[in-house]
Amino acid sequence: MSGPIGLGLPTPPPVLAPRRKTRQLSVGGVGVGSDSPISVQSMCTTPTHDVNATLQQIAELTAAGCDMVRVACPRQEDADALAEIARKSKIPVIADIHFQPKYIFAAIDAGCAAVRVNPGNIKEFDGRVKEVAKAAGAAGIPIRIGVNAGSLDPRLMAKYGKATPEALVESALWEAGLFAEHGYEDLKISVKHNDPVIMVEAYRQLAAACDYPLHLGVTEAGPAFQGTIKSAVAFGALLSEGIGDTIRVSLSAPPVEEIKVGDAILQSLNLRPRKLEIVSCPSCGRAQVDVYKLADEVTAGLEGLEVPLRVAVMGCVVNGPGEAREADLGVASGNGKGQIFVKGEVIKTVPEAQIVETLIEEAMRIAAESGETGEGSPVVTIS
């Protein structure tokens, strides 16, 4: 074969709906709003006052593709650590503030890229909005109004009886209105709930009522499997309607796992350039090779390859040849051997024991010939 090999998805890739039009913010140089790509964030699990541990975790998140990171600030020693963390972090640091309004001002003074406030549990927050707006506006720092079902303002709990979509939205818009009265509108809003159905409805109502950028989250989503499912369902529903400007997948798992899931959700909707993706069948009685083993070995062998590439590893003759032809690189397996396809053409047939090795070699060759430097990544289809 000769000549350049065309790789990846159509440009621009199709999406289910255009983005909802919003105001535009800058969080430490990262654009937030409909004019910017949807960003993925997480939150450190380390005590913020442990500067070295926090910076180490931020470095791990940065390497995983995190766009911005939140850190908790429940105590004065945490507030005292913010300046060093914000200065040394390679990605924007957002201070997460609860209970004590004084830490909002500490975070602004420390040079954090943004501040998240929870109006439902910050003491006398409404009465301090004017001060907060003045300080944040002078520093050019955006604020996220983070309404959470677990800490909803008692007044709204009394009015609605529970954290309904209407209660969450009323809380968010009330606080945004207070900031607007004082001439401050560099706001991002979230209305999180642990129930995806309630969460989706709340964001739909909020999106219809304002043009602020929205941060999506299913709060307390649960352990990795459950939390991934709940977040994917909720985010998928909203993002497919063009709603959402930043996301955080809240998992009871290491923060890096949140980034992996969030990134994969955006990729699956063509809202972020695709990276290594394994699309595999569940296998069946027709398969003449160990599809599970092939899938695992190909995934491991191509990990970290930053080239938009679709690879098909097929286990039977029903869909195998067709899927392999549609991919950039593929194999149709059967009878102890595999036909290797590149852009729909069979280039060689190899014994089953050499399938993985051959696919990896061909993927590396294609990557080298493409001249790609990481603006997308491989899509591997295994069936």
Side-chain angles (χ1 to χ4, degrees):
M1 298 185 65
S2 61
I5 297 173
L7 301 175
L9 299 169
T11 303
V15 294
L16 291 170
R19 293 274 296 281
R20 160 184 167 268
K21 191 66 177 175
T22 75
R23 302 166 188 248
Q24 190 71 15
L25 302 177
S26 176
V27 178
V30 175
V32 173
S34 54
D35 294 339
S36 301
I38 297 170
S39 55
V40 179
Q41 62 179 267
S42 184
M43 186 170 181
C44 285
T45 59
T46 54
T48 302
H49 61 265
D50 189 339
V51 174
N52 290 336
T54 301
L55 286 171
Q56 175 62 37
Q57 192 166 78
I58 291 175
E60 294 168 357
L61 288 165
T62 303
C66 185
D67 296 304
M68 57 188 77
V69 63
R70 259 192 301 154
V71 295
C73 188
R75 297 175 296 277
Q76 185 61 49
E77 57 186 338
D78 300 312
D80 294 340
L82 289 175
E84 183 176 0
I85 293 169
R87 185 175 69 252
K88 292 183 177 179
S89 172
K90 301 297 184 184
I91 58 176
V93 173
I94 302 169
D96 192 70
I97 309 299
H98 298 262
F99 305 117
Q100 294 293 335
K102 66 179 181 180
Y103 296 139
I104 300 173
F105 304 103
I108 293 172
D109 292 341
C112 290
V115 178
R116 181 268 174 132
V117 299
N118 186 338
N121 64 19
I122 295 179
K123 187 184 302 183
E124 300 175 351
F125 179 72
D126 288 0
R128 306 293 297 273
V129 166
K130 182 177 180 179
E131 296 174 70
V132 173
K134 181 178 179 181
I141 291 178
I143 289 174
R144 170 156 71 91
I145 297 173
V147 177
N148 193 301
S151 52
L152 190 62
D153 190 308
R155 294 170 297 180
L156 291 168
M157 286 295 289
K159 177 179 179 179
Y160 288 95
K162 58 182 178 180
T164 64
E166 292 76 16
L168 296 170
V169 172
E170 183 174 330
S171 175
L173 293 178
W174 168 263
E175 300 300 339
L178 292 180
F179 276 99
E181 286 179 5
H182 298 293
Y184 181 90
E185 295 191 282
D186 288 339
L187 299 170
K188 179 172 59 171
I189 301 178
S190 62
V191 282
K192 296 186 179 183
H193 198 287
N194 61 62
D195 185 323
V197 174
I198 296 175
M199 175 268 199
V200 167
E201 179 57 26
Y203 276 100
R204 284 174 174 162
Q205 291 182 20
L206 184 60
C210 71
D211 65 352
Y212 293 112
L214 302 183
H215 168 72
L216 304 186
V218 178
T219 190
E220 290 94 36
F225 177 77
Q226 175 181 293
T228 295
I229 298 299
K230 291 171 72 172
S231 297
V233 167
F235 294 178
L238 292 167
L239 294 170
S240 68
E241 298 172 11
I243 298 171
D245 303 289
T246 72
I247 64 173
R248 188 230 172 154
V249 179
S250 298
L251 301 178
S252 300
V256 165
E257 297 303 311
E258 298 184 350
I259 301 305
K260 292 178 182 178
V261 174
D263 194 61
I265 290 172
L266 294 181
Q267 288 178 49
S268 70
L269 293 168
N270 287 342
L271 294 170
R272 178 166 285 200
R274 290 179 182 262
K275 295 183 180 179
L276 179 60
E277 179 183 352
I278 306 298
V279 182
S280 64
C281 74
S283 191
C284 68
R286 296 190 304 264
Q288 296 177 330
V289 296
D290 187 339
V291 176
Y292 304 148
K293 183 171 182 287
L294 282 180
D296 287 343
E297 291 180 353
V298 171
T299 302
L302 295 180
E303 185 177 3
L305 186 62
E306 294 291 324
V307 175
L309 178 68
R310 177 172 283 110
V311 182
V313 183
M314 306 301 294
C316 81
V317 297
V318 174
N319 296 315
E323 292 283 358
R325 287 192 185 95
E326 289 296 316
D328 298 306
L329 170 64
V331 61
S333 308
N335 296 323
K337 58 183 182 294
Q339 285 186 315
I340 306 298
F341 290 75
V342 174
K343 279 297 180 183
E345 298 181 9
V346 178
I347 62 167
K348 66 179 72 173
T349 300
V350 299
E352 180 179 339
Q354 296 178 20
I355 288 175
V356 173
E357 176 186 353
T358 304
L359 286 176
I360 292 172
E361 288 176 354
E362 290 298 320
M364 297 304 177
R365 179 185 65 79
I366 291 172
E369 290 183 3
S370 73
E372 292 284 345
T373 57
E375 291 300 318
S377 308
V379 176
V380 181
T381 306
I382 299 178
S383 186

